[in-house]
Amino acid sequence: MIDNLNKIITFENTDAHVHTHLCDGKPEMTVANIAKVAKERGIEQIILTPHFHKKVSDASATLYDDSDENMFAKLREEINACDSNVKILLSTEADILDVNGHTSADGFCQK
């Protein structure tokens, strides 16, 4: 599996933690603008990582909710509309909730 991932994701000339205007970014941080600046800087690949923190009742986990399930659809639309040769991947920044690897994005990211 790791070999397959290495064919998809290389970390040379990559920015692997990018927030957009939909999450922590300024209004001008659209996917198109991010891709334009990435190309100018010689970055060949960006990985968009919007927050996905769901409020849970367990005091040891996240106690806030800044997730917007529509955000992923909006970002996919922007990615699809982006006319750039910069490779754009969509991931998420999520909380790891336990030692079994459950995250605050479980069940949603597989949709």
Side-chain angles (χ1 to χ4, degrees):
M1 177 153 178
I2 295 297
D3 288 337
N4 289 338
L5 286 176
N6 287 335
K7 291 176 185 172
I8 298 169
I9 302 172
T10 60
F11 289 98
E12 292 181 24
N13 300 318
T14 295
D15 189 338
H17 189 155
V18 179
H19 292 298
T20 69
H21 64 103
L22 297 175
C23 178
D24 278 355
K26 296 179 180 178
E28 62 271 15
M29 296 284 290
T30 63
V31 172
N33 286 342
I34 291 168
K36 179 179 180 262
V37 171
K39 184 175 181 175
E40 290 169 359
R41 294 182 180 177
I43 296 171
E44 298 171 358
Q45 176 172 260
I46 58 175
I47 304 174
L48 304 178
T49 55
H51 293 157
F52 199 90
H53 304 288
K54 294 294 274 183
K55 189 172 186 175
V56 294
S57 59
D58 182 344
S60 66
T62 286
L63 295 177
Y64 57 95
D65 185 342
D66 67 352
S67 62
D68 173 3
E69 294 182 1
N70 296 320
M71 176 173 35
F72 293 92
K74 293 173 191 172
L75 285 172
R76 283 189 189 100
E77 287 177 12
E78 284 192 49
I79 291 167
N80 291 338
C82 186
D83 183 26
S84 175
N85 60 356
V86 173
K87 185 173 186 177
I88 304 169
L89 303 174
L90 180 57
S91 185
T92 188
E93 180 179 318
D95 295 316
I96 299 172
L97 301 176
D98 60 30
V99 296
N100 295 316
H102 294 104
T103 73
S104 55
D106 283 358
F108 177 74
C109 290
Q110 289 80 26
K111 290 182 181 179

